[in-house]
């Protein structure tokens, strides 16, 4: 039986040759390839881009570089990967989970407003699935309340909002290049911002806080006599990772197009089914990272049975995500309730999506999903 994977890395000879080139040169750390990849990303976004070890580290460093830490609070939708929460709590700050908008499944700023305290310093909108919702409203809310905006754009590489590429505007935007993202560098991530103070600080933070080491590393040198003024981390990207990222960026237009076409096909095949609700996303602008549907009347147990049935047909599915306010580490019994997240979470199901998926695969997934939902 053929296995239809939920997601996968899509690599070719180009990435393999690029990695072999780095291995042959025997300079694996942060050097020429990272510098080149950052240059390409800076051209792509028309803004300073700094590469780090993963998307989680990107968010952590962005929060820290804003001077946010112990005693501070950061607003974030509960419906996100635990990575977003861990990135915030790693700085000492408290992630404050918020409810979501029932249509877009993005942070509900009216709900966020109710959770603001004197300690609130930032909001982290999560571009769930690759869409961005009403981002203008998030920025309006942040301006009104004097907050920094750190966009978790792990899902949204390539997405366009009102004619502008995500990352090319706004405060601070963090991307992930993990193995299954819209582009991958194996693991990896980057921070894009026009705030020079923040980007300079992040460049030091990713190299253990060693001041101004990046330029030396890019010319094959390093600092021997240096000062450190803050807690840093060993979070820089390596040349091996950047070599993969450079090749992926070249292929991105084709891969993005494929993702969009497959998502549009899912929309077309599923939108006429009463029990299945598709998410409102405009795939002329959104590059989808994952394809999520809502299935009316599901609960966690029934969803597991549905997943088992699809799995028997060789179809992998996923759940994005277990709400963070339900996790022991982040549970707060005094918090306001999360009615929309609580209602919607058990109904969410993620269907396979990656550039190696075929039109026939999508047709098969839709046929099996509809059949299974109808037989319930
Ligand atoms: C919404 C979201 N934020 C952050 C991350 C963290 O990215 P990384 O896996 O590169 O650390 C992910 C990764 O899956 C994610 O899905």
């Amino acid at each position: 039986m053929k296995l239809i994977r939920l997601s996968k890395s899509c690599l070719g000879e180009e990435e393999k040759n690029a990695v072999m080139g780095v291995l042959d040169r025997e300079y694996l750390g942060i050097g020429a390839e990272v510098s080149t990849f950052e240059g390409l990303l800076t051209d792509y976004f028309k803004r300073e881009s700094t590469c780090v070890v993963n998307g989680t580290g990107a968010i952590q460093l962005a929060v820290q570089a804003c001077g946010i830490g112990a005693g501070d609070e950061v607003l974030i939708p509960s419906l996100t990967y635990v990575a977003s929460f861990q990135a915030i709590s790693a700085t000492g700050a408290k992630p404050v989970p918020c409810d979501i908008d029932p249509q877009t499944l993005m942070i509900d700023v009216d709900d966020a407003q109710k959770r603001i305290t004197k300690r609130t310093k930032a909001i982290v909108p999560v571009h769930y699935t690759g869409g961005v919702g009403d981002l203008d409203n998030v920025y309006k809310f942040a301006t009104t309340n004097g907050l920094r905006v750190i966009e978790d754009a792990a899902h949204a590489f390539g997405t366009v909002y009102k004619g502008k590429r995500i990352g090319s505007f706004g405060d601070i935007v963090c991307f992930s290049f993990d193995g299954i993202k819209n582009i991958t560098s194996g693991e990896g991530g980057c921070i894009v911002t026009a705030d020079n103070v923040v980007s300079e600080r992040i460049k030091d933070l990713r190299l253990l806080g060693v001041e101004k080491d990046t330029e030396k590393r890019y010319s094959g040198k390093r600092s021997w006599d240096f000062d450190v003024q803050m807690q840093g981390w060993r979070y820089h990207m390596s040349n091996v990772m950047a070599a993969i990222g450079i090749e992926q960026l070249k292929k991105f237009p084709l891969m993005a197009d494929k993702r969009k076409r497959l998502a549009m096909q899912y929309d077309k095949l599923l939108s006429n089914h009463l029990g299945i609700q598709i998410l409102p996303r405009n795939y002329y602008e959104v590059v989808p990272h994952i394809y999520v549907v809502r299935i009316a009347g599901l609960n966690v147990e029934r969803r597991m049975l549905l997943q088992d049935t699809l799995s028997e047909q060789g179809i992998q599915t996923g759940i994005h995500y277990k709400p963070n306010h339900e996790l022991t580490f982040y549970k707060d019994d005094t918090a306001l309730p999360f009615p929309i997240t609580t209602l919607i979470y058990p109904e969410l199901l993620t269907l396979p999506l990656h550039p190696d998926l075929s039109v026939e695969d999508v047709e098969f997934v839709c046929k099996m999903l509809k059949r299974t939902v109808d037989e319930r």
Side-chain angles (χ1 to χ4, degrees):
M1 184 174 57
K2 179 181 171 179
L3 176 68
I4 301 182
R5 287 171 65 176
L6 175 62
S7 52
K8 69 185 277 291
S9 310
C10 298
L11 303 167
E13 288 307 309
E14 300 80 2
E15 288 85 351
K16 291 174 195 165
N17 291 335
V19 168
M20 288 311 288
V22 175
L23 299 184
D24 284 342
R25 283 190 291 285
E26 297 185 325
Y27 192 127
L28 307 190
I30 176 170
E33 279 76 12
V34 179
S35 173
T36 302
F37 189 34
E38 280 183 352
L40 293 170
L41 291 167
T42 298
D43 287 347
Y44 182 74
F45 293 114
K46 305 278 181 288
R47 278 187 158 195
E48 185 72 12
S49 306
T50 306
C51 286
V52 292
V53 71
N54 52 41
T56 312
I59 299 168
Q60 182 189 332
L61 296 190
V63 172
Q64 191 183 346
C66 289
I68 298 168
D72 297 328
E73 294 178 359
V74 177
L75 301 164
I76 179 161
S78 182
L79 189 75
T80 182
Y81 191 35
V82 67
S84 327
F85 270 64
Q86 289 277 10
I88 296 166
S89 52
T91 69
K94 179 182 170 198
V96 175
C98 300
D99 213 355
I100 49 168
D101 176 273
Q103 297 306 317
T104 64
L105 311 195
M106 312 282 173
I107 193 163
D108 173 356
V109 292
D110 293 334
D111 179 81
Q113 185 76 56
K114 295 181 202 148
R115 301 178 198 258
I116 282 195
T117 71
K118 283 198 205 86
R119 296 178 293 279
T120 310
K121 294 287 164 34
I123 180 166
V124 174
V126 176
H127 301 332
Y128 181 74
T129 75
V132 287
D134 190 352
L135 195 52
D136 279 349
N137 202 29
V138 172
Y139 273 96
K140 206 169 110 196
F141 168 83
T143 306
T144 309
N145 292 288
L147 306 179
R148 297 294 306 237
V149 180
I150 299 166
E151 295 177 40
D152 180 344
H155 294 189
F157 190 88
T159 285
V160 168
Y161 177 71
K162 297 192 175 171
K164 290 182 288 184
R165 191 171 273 164
I166 289 298
S168 69
F169 64 96
D171 192 3
I172 306 174
V173 188
C174 299
F175 293 93
S176 161
F177 304 141
D178 81 26
I180 56 165
K181 289 296 190 294
N182 291 359
I183 64 165
T184 184
S185 53
E187 296 289 340
C190 82
I191 303 109
V192 186
T193 182
D195 182 333
N196 290 334
V197 174
V198 164
S199 58
E200 288 309 310
R201 214 175 272 165
I202 287 171
K203 283 186 169 53
D204 292 349
L205 285 172
R206 70 174 170 175
L207 283 164
L208 295 165
V210 174
E211 290 184 332
K212 311 229 175 305
D213 206 15
T214 286
E215 285 315 312
K216 295 201 186 77
R217 300 277 184 153
Y218 288 167
S219 53
K221 302 184 189 117
R222 63 187 275 191
S223 299
W224 296 109
D225 181 16
F226 54 79
D227 194 18
V228 167
Q229 301 201 35
M230 55 195 169
Q231 174 65 57
W233 314 90
R234 196 165 162 75
Y235 281 2
H236 60 78
M237 183 176 270
S238 80
N239 280 345
V240 178
M241 299 157 86
I244 299 172
I246 291 166
E247 297 306 320
Q248 287 269 298
L249 194 55
K250 290 182 199 162
K251 298 177 175 179
F252 180 62
L254 280 179
M255 293 198 293
D257 190 55
K258 185 76 189 287
R259 282 182 180 275
K260 288 171 169 214
R261 279 190 289 119
L262 293 169
M264 285 192 229
Q265 195 196 1
Y266 268 128
D267 273 5
K268 196 169 133 217
L269 294 176
L270 296 177
S271 57
N272 59 0
H273 192 286
L274 279 182
I276 303 170
Q277 192 178 323
I278 62 172
L279 300 188
R281 301 278 188 263
N282 173 3
Y283 294 114
Y284 290 104
E285 296 189 328
V286 170
V287 182
H289 163 52
I290 50 176
Y291 189 86
V292 175
V293 291
R294 273 182 75 182
I295 299 175
L298 272 192
N299 59 29
V300 171
E301 291 75 33
R302 281 206 286 267
R303 178 171 61 188
M304 216 138 58
L305 292 177
L306 175 65
Q307 286 190 283
D308 287 346
T309 308
L310 292 172
S311 174
E312 282 159 18
Q313 301 295 328
I315 301 167
Q316 282 185 344
T317 55
I319 298 159
H320 295 83
Y321 295 97
K322 173 96 183 255
N324 284 271
H325 72 266
E326 292 183 11
L327 306 178
T328 303
F329 191 52
Y330 295 113
K331 204 172 265 176
D332 176 359
D333 291 336
T334 66
L336 294 168
F338 301 86
I340 306 298
T341 308
T342 306
L343 174 80
I344 290 177
Y345 163 65
E347 299 183 348
L348 297 176
L349 185 73
T350 309
L351 305 179
L353 182 68
H354 53 76
D356 285 346
L357 208 64
S358 69
V359 168
E360 291 73 28
D361 291 334
V362 170
E363 281 168 359
F364 180 68
V365 172
C366 291
K367 191 169 99 183
M368 287 303 147
L369 177 66
K370 287 182 190 174
R371 182 181 295 172
T372 315
V373 169
D374 288 341
E375 282 169 0
R376 270 191 302 137

Coordinates of all heavy atoms in Angstrom, one line a residue, residues 54-57 59 80-81 83-84 126 152 154-155 176-178 181 187-188 321, ligand 1:
N54 N 17.2 27.4 14.8 CA 15.8 27.0 14.5 C 14.8 28.1 14.8 O 15.2 29.2 15.2 CB 15.4 25.7 15.4 CG 15.7 25.9 16.8 OD1 15.4 26.9 17.4 ND2 16.3 24.9 17.5
G55 N 13.5 27.8 14.5 CA 12.5 28.8 14.6 C 12.2 29.2 16.1 O 11.9 30.3 16.4
T56 N 12.4 28.1 16.9 CA 12.2 28.4 18.4 C 13.2 29.4 18.9 O 12.9 30.3 19.6 CB 12.3 27.0 19.1 OG1 11.5 26.0 18.5 CG2 11.9 27.2 20.6
G57 N 14.4 29.1 18.5 CA 15.5 30.1 18.9 C 15.3 31.5 18.3 O 15.6 32.5 19.0
I59 N 12.5 33.0 17.9 CA 11.5 33.7 18.7 C 12.1 34.1 20.1 O 12.0 35.2 20.6 CB 10.2 32.9 18.9 CG1 9.5 32.6 17.5 CG2 9.2 33.6 19.8 CD1 8.4 31.6 17.5
T80 N -1.2 27.0 19.1 CA 0.1 27.1 18.4 C 0.9 25.9 18.9 O 0.6 25.3 19.8 CB 0.8 28.4 18.6 OG1 2.0 28.4 17.8 CG2 1.2 28.7 20.1
Y81 N 2.0 25.7 18.1 CA 2.9 24.7 18.6 C 3.6 25.1 19.9 O 3.8 26.3 20.1 CB 4.0 24.5 17.5 CG 4.9 23.3 17.7 CD1 4.4 22.1 18.2 CD2 6.2 23.3 17.3 CE1 5.2 21.0 18.3 CE2 7.0 22.2 17.4 CZ 6.5 21.0 17.9 OH 7.3 19.9 18.1
A83 N 6.4 25.1 20.7 CA 7.7 25.8 20.5 C 7.5 27.3 20.7 O 8.4 27.9 21.3 CB 8.1 25.5 19.0
S84 N 6.4 27.8 20.3 CA 6.2 29.3 20.5 C 6.2 29.6 22.0 O 6.7 30.7 22.4 CB 4.9 29.7 19.8 OG 4.5 29.0 18.7
V126 N 0.5 34.3 15.7 CA 1.0 33.1 15.0 C 0.3 32.9 13.7 O -0.9 32.9 13.6 CB 0.8 31.8 15.9 CG1 1.2 30.6 15.2 CG2 1.5 32.0 17.2
D152 N 5.2 35.2 14.8 CA 5.6 33.8 14.6 C 5.1 33.4 13.2 O 4.0 33.0 13.0 CB 5.0 32.9 15.7 CG 5.4 31.4 15.5 OD1 5.9 31.1 14.4 OD2 5.2 30.6 16.4
A154 N 6.5 31.0 11.4 CA 7.0 29.7 11.1 C 6.3 29.0 9.9 O 6.9 28.3 9.1 CB 7.0 28.8 12.3
H155 N 5.0 29.3 9.8 CA 4.2 28.6 8.7 C 4.1 29.5 7.5 O 3.5 29.0 6.5 CB 2.8 28.4 9.2 CG 2.6 27.4 10.3 ND1 1.4 26.9 10.8 CD2 3.6 26.8 11.1 CE1 1.6 26.1 11.8 NE2 2.9 26.0 12.0
S176 N 10.8 29.7 10.5 CA 11.4 28.4 10.8 C 11.7 27.7 9.5 O 11.0 27.8 8.5 CB 10.4 27.5 11.5 OG 10.8 26.1 11.4
F177 N 12.9 27.1 9.4 CA 13.3 26.3 8.2 C 13.5 24.9 8.6 O 14.4 24.2 8.2 CB 14.6 26.9 7.6 CG 14.6 28.3 7.3 CD1 15.7 29.2 7.5 CD2 13.4 28.9 6.7 CE1 15.6 30.5 7.2 CE2 13.4 30.3 6.3 CZ 14.5 31.1 6.6
D178 N 12.7 24.4 9.5 CA 12.8 22.9 9.9 C 12.5 22.1 8.7 O 12.1 22.5 7.7 CB 12.1 22.6 11.2 CG 10.6 22.3 11.0 OD1 10.2 21.9 9.9 OD2 9.8 22.5 12.0
K181 N 9.2 22.6 6.6 CA 8.6 23.9 6.4 C 8.6 24.3 4.9 O 9.2 23.6 4.0 CB 9.3 25.0 7.2 CG 9.1 24.8 8.7 CD 7.6 25.1 9.0 CE 7.3 25.2 10.5 NZ 7.5 24.0 11.3
E187 N 17.4 21.9 9.9 CA 16.8 22.7 10.9 C 17.2 24.2 10.6 O 18.0 24.4 9.7 CB 17.3 22.3 12.3 CG 17.0 20.9 12.8 CD 15.5 20.7 13.1 OE1 14.8 21.7 13.3 OE2 15.1 19.5 13.0
G188 N 16.7 25.1 11.3 CA 17.1 26.5 11.0 C 15.9 27.5 11.2 O 14.8 27.1 11.3
Y321 N -3.2 22.4 16.9 CA -2.3 21.8 17.9 C -3.0 21.6 19.2 O -4.0 22.2 19.4 CB -1.1 22.8 18.2 CG -0.2 23.1 17.1 CD1 -0.4 24.2 16.3 CD2 0.8 22.3 16.8 CE1 0.4 24.5 15.2 CE2 1.7 22.6 15.7 CZ 1.5 23.7 14.9 OH 2.3 24.0 13.9
Ligands
LIG1 C1 3.9 27.8 14.8 C2 5.3 27.4 15.1 N1 6.1 28.2 15.7 C3 7.4 27.9 16.0 C4 8.0 26.8 15.5 C5 9.4 26.4 15.8 O1 10.2 26.2 14.8 P1 11.4 25.2 14.8 O2 10.8 23.8 14.7 O3 12.3 25.6 13.7 O4 12.1 25.4 16.1 C6 7.2 25.9 14.8 C7 7.8 24.6 14.2 O5 7.2 23.7 13.9 C8 5.8 26.2 14.5 O6 5.0 25.3 13.9

